[in-house]
Amino acid sequence: MEGRWLALVVLTVARASLGFQFQSVGSVAPLLIRDLGVSYADIGFLIGLYMLPGVVLALPGGMLGQRFGDKRIVILGLVLMAAGGALAGVAPGYPQLVAGRVLSGTGAILLNVLMSKMVTDWFAGREIVLAMAVFVNSFPIGIGIASLSLGRLGQNAGWAAPMLTTGLVALAGLLLVMFAYRPHANDRISAARATSATRLPGCVAVMACIAGMIWGIINGAFGIMLGFAPLLLISEGYSVGRAGLLVGIATWLLVLSVQAGGIIAQRWKHPNVLMLAGMMVAGCAMLALPTATPTAPLIAMGLGMGLPVGVIMSLPSEVLRPEHRGTGMGLFYTWLYIGQAGLPPIAGWLQDMVGGSAASIYFAGGLFLVTLPLLGAFRLMQAHSIQLLPTRPA
């Protein structure tokens, strides 16, 4: 196996531990409510807490990788994830569980930012869209594995056992990265190179932010769909189980379409058209959901949203030189976390203000469509910028 594909396999498998750990609270939520006496709001806080620190830590995390080397900081992230899982697993109460979640989430942020940069280093100028599609799918796959296993483990052994298991999975990922990952040449950045000569140019920083806004909006809209589409379906007479099944089908179709989109983009070479088609389908499907039989719109949303994911994740590689990628990916992920943390509460506020059960869904549909002018702005800046990567592989 060629070095870059082996690197992709190692990073993808290790990153699945992030999705696995993220889902741990959701998988054992009824047990936490029963045993610790916490509320649904407390459960929601624990879930969001895993991603919330990224708003302030994503950019410093990227800069740490640039200063000390990506592999070292990824290993540190996995250490924090393992320690956070262990702390949550031995927590006697809710405050200690919060502390474990913060520790795990901090490690996950370092992992997310720097692993994306590492994949970019290996595949920039090559199969970057396909590689990013494979890499991004590790998160929902980790969530899916946790959903299938941790709830049952918690029922048999108590809620602490799944928390400890997530720490062990992170530890396994640490060992995998430590012994099976060979750093790319761009990872060998010494303190002497982390000078003003490698500071991110302003126009490149703006393009990294625009790309991050696109990714943050899409993830925020997807979070709104996961949280509010079941409520819409239940209000229309569907059972809780049936509503969850329909949304679950859309989620797994998303996983498949992400991979299909990566293959199509790599072979077809028309990323802008793929982005336009995918977001138009996803946005229109969400806008149609409140007024149509839900099965077709949810299927269309799952298929449409996933198609351009690899394209979006490859946008930073088009404008970031190797010496800028750590800081640039930090900016990119800062906007991701802003979208993930900020847009679902706005959707909830809109629904409270307007009433009914459809306002949040219309908001999510509009968000998908907003990504298209942002892509246009990115391409316009790219066309007029001199701060582009060379066409040869980095």
Side-chain angles (χ1 to χ4, degrees):
M1 183 181 294
E2 292 187 39
R4 67 183 185 278
W5 294 107
L6 176 60
L8 179 63
V9 170
V10 170
L11 296 174
T12 299
V13 172
R15 186 175 178 264
S17 65
L18 193 158
F20 187 81
Q21 191 170 65
F22 172 77
Q23 185 60 20
S24 59
V25 170
S27 296
V28 299
L31 303 178
L32 293 173
I33 292 170
R34 183 194 69 189
D35 297 342
L36 298 182
V38 299
S39 67
Y40 286 104
D42 293 328
I43 295 297
F45 178 71
L46 282 176
I47 293 172
L49 194 58
Y50 197 77
M51 297 295 186
L52 186 60
V55 174
V56 295
L57 294 180
L59 180 57
M63 297 172 70
L64 283 173
Q66 183 170 305
R67 177 65 176 83
F68 296 105
D70 305 324
K71 183 175 179 179
R72 292 189 183 96
I73 303 304
V74 164
I75 289 174
L76 173 62
L78 287 162
V79 168
L80 293 176
M81 287 174 61
L87 178 58
V90 300
Y94 186 76
Q96 295 80 12
L97 193 57
V98 168
R101 194 69 169 171
V102 170
L103 193 61
S104 299
T106 300
I109 291 159
L110 298 177
L111 193 79
N112 223 7
V113 174
L114 273 304
M115 278 191 171
S116 298
K117 188 262 184 186
M118 292 154 82
V119 174
T120 300
D121 282 341
W122 280 105
F123 286 91
R126 295 188 174 99
E127 306 91 347
I128 182 65
V129 177
L130 178 59
M132 281 299 183
V134 173
F135 175 73
V136 168
N137 259 346
S138 61
F139 183 71
I141 288 173
I143 289 176
I145 295 172
S147 298
L148 292 173
S149 61
L150 291 184
R152 182 174 300 178
L153 176 62
Q155 287 179 341
N156 294 330
W159 63 263
M163 301 298 177
L164 290 170
T165 300
T166 68
L168 292 174
V169 170
L171 181 61
L174 185 155
L175 296 174
L176 181 64
V177 171
M178 185 178 293
F179 295 109
Y181 179 78
R182 177 177 63 84
H184 189 274
N186 290 333
D187 191 22
R188 303 186 184 99
I189 299 175
S190 65
R193 290 188 60 190
T195 64
S196 60
T198 62
R199 288 176 184 167
L200 197 62
C203 61
V204 178
V206 172
M207 285 188 283
C209 287
I210 293 174
M213 288 177 191
I214 293 172
W215 190 222
I217 287 171
I218 288 174
N219 278 272
F222 180 61
I224 293 168
M225 189 278 290
L226 289 176
F228 291 93
L231 298 177
L232 173 68
L233 298 180
I234 292 169
S235 72
E236 294 180 350
Y238 288 81
S239 68
V240 174
R242 178 68 173 170
L245 176 63
L246 289 173
V247 174
I249 290 172
T251 303
W252 281 107
L253 286 174
L254 169 66
V255 172
L256 296 175
S257 68
V258 168
Q259 203 57 63
I263 296 171
I264 293 170
Q266 199 66 48
R267 295 182 178 179
W268 191 32
K269 306 296 184 183
H270 292 287
N272 293 337
V273 177
L274 191 65
M275 174 79 176
L276 175 64
M279 290 300 96
M280 286 292 293
V281 169
C284 292
M286 287 299 289
L287 293 173
L289 182 60
T291 59
T293 303
T295 303
L298 285 171
I299 289 174
M301 195 288 303
L303 293 175
M305 178 186 166
L307 290 178
V309 164
V311 174
I312 297 163
M313 288 296 295
S314 70
L315 292 178
S317 73
E318 299 181 22
V319 297
L320 295 172
R321 296 182 185 275
E323 64 269 24
H324 300 147
R325 285 178 189 154
T327 304
M329 293 306 294
L331 280 174
F332 177 84
Y333 271 96
T334 296
W335 286 101
L336 164 66
Y337 291 120
I338 289 172
Q340 284 183 322
L343 291 176
I346 293 174
W349 175 78
L350 285 172
Q351 191 142 307
D352 287 337
M353 291 290 293
V354 175
S357 55
S360 58
I361 301 300
Y362 287 130
F363 178 59
L367 287 174
F368 283 120
L369 301 180
V370 166
T371 62
L372 298 178
L374 285 174
L375 177 66
F378 180 92
R379 293 302 188 199
L380 185 63
M381 286 197 68
Q382 185 182 25
H384 290 85
S385 174
I386 61 171
Q387 304 290 342
L388 298 179
L389 282 172
T391 57
R392 65 180 184 278

